[in-house]
Amino acid sequence: MAFGRNRRVEPFEAVHWDEITQFTVGRMMRHTVRKSKRGEGAHAVRFMRTRGVDEYMVPGVYIVPVEADVPLSKGGFRLFEDEGSRQLLCTVLPDGSDRYRVTDATGRELGSVRRTPVTKRLTQQGLWMEQPGHPAIVAPRNWARGGSGASLGRGVGHVLDGVVDSLLSFGSDEGTGSGASAKPVVWAVGAEDAEEEGADGEYGEAVLTFPRSTEGKRWYFVKRDGWLDKRLAFALAVLRESETFGADSR
């Protein structure tokens, strides 16, 4: 692994995909202000490791388009555990409607990533998840008032203060800003059911969080040892990053 001119970095210890709880999507291999020192590698779901003052984005799951030169959101993609594309983790394919089917290496359906209907886009983020045996996992817009700490406590199942603090501190002051854009995006269970029942603003357990850093760090946090299949979280993040931030550049 090389960064900048004549700089070598010893490889980091591999992490099993199901152990990843904090991840980003893209090619950048190191977080630094200077572009020339960032380095680019395979298009991948990446986790962070630090050495000294340096932060490295280590590839954990590799992203391969189903159709070359076709946007991931149009042609679909596969996730592999290895860079050589020998160990298939899952396949994400559009079905021609608002749905992306996520299947494992044997073809068994794990769930899906869905697009929010146009009629609900003022109140919900554009992508949400389905996992068999569980309620819908939706990220409502402006999902709470009174500040991010109060929001996480009231709106997504009374998340512990320590978890709230760690999420908000990671991306500087993004969770405490006064503008709507500073609020984290939180995918929580049962949001659609709550909306149908008229319980606006009351949602279930938070399973995936995107703090929206103002420093250009786009990290997703998925609950450790939770019931959500992380392959669904990876699929949603890859689709979202490719469309919103152009992170599927190949």
Side-chain angles (χ1 to χ4, degrees):
M1 187 182 297
F3 297 91
R5 195 174 293 174
N6 299 324
R7 178 161 185 179
R8 302 293 301 179
V9 176
E10 290 298 318
F12 291 88
E13 183 179 354
V15 173
H16 188 268
W17 63 268
D18 200 31
E19 295 299 316
I20 297 174
T21 57
Q22 172 186 322
F23 65 91
T24 188
V25 176
R27 294 180 177 275
M28 190 169 74
M29 301 169 71
R30 190 171 76 158
H31 182 74
T32 176
V33 174
R34 292 181 58 182
K35 229 176 194 181
S36 61
K37 290 191 174 183
R38 292 177 185 174
E40 288 193 344
H43 191 206
V45 172
R46 295 172 175 270
F47 60 93
M48 185 174 70
R49 287 292 179 265
T50 59
R51 280 187 179 152
V53 297
D54 294 326
E55 295 178 352
Y56 296 93
M57 273 62 82
V58 183
V61 177
Y62 295 87
I63 304 164
V64 177
V66 170
E67 300 181 49
D69 302 321
V70 175
L72 301 182
S73 60
K74 300 293 184 184
F77 55 93
R78 295 186 177 94
L79 301 181
F80 290 88
E81 296 186 60
D82 65 309
E83 191 170 6
S85 301
R86 293 179 295 270
Q87 300 176 56
L88 179 62
L89 183 60
C90 66
T91 300
V92 183
L93 288 174
D95 71 354
S97 63
D98 66 347
R99 184 171 179 252
Y100 293 84
R101 297 180 63 244
V102 184
T103 55
D104 68 11
T106 67
R108 179 178 64 92
E109 188 156 333
L110 303 171
S112 60
V113 177
R114 302 285 297 269
R115 288 196 182 280
T116 301
V118 174
T119 55
K120 289 188 176 182
R121 294 211 179 150
L122 287 177
T123 58
Q124 294 178 7
Q125 296 288 333
L127 295 172
W128 55 285
M129 293 173 283
E130 287 180 319
Q131 182 170 325
H134 297 277
I137 307 163
V138 179
R141 295 184 187 274
N142 299 322
W143 40 271
R145 296 181 175 87
S148 53
S151 302
L152 285 168
R154 180 179 65 252
V156 289
H158 304 287
V159 180
L160 295 176
D161 288 342
V163 176
V164 174
D165 291 342
S166 65
L167 287 174
L168 300 183
S169 64
F170 183 83
S172 68
D173 63 348
E174 74 173 38
T176 58
S178 57
S181 63
K183 294 180 180 179
V185 179
V186 177
W187 283 266
V189 300
E192 283 199 325
D193 294 338
E195 183 180 21
E196 290 172 2
E197 294 169 6
D200 185 31
E202 294 296 329
Y203 303 104
E205 176 188 6
V207 295
L208 180 66
T209 302
F210 176 72
R212 287 207 246 206
S213 169
T214 57
E215 299 177 353
K217 301 177 185 178
R218 299 195 303 272
W219 293 100
Y220 293 79
F221 295 82
V222 62
K223 189 173 181 180
R224 183 183 298 277
D225 300 325
W227 53 263
L228 176 67
D229 192 310
K230 291 189 178 70
R231 290 170 287 192
L232 295 178
F234 296 157
L236 182 144
V238 171
L239 286 167
R240 187 170 183 267
E241 289 288 310
S242 67
E243 295 183 340
T244 305
F245 301 103
D248 71 337
S249 300
R250 295 184 288 277

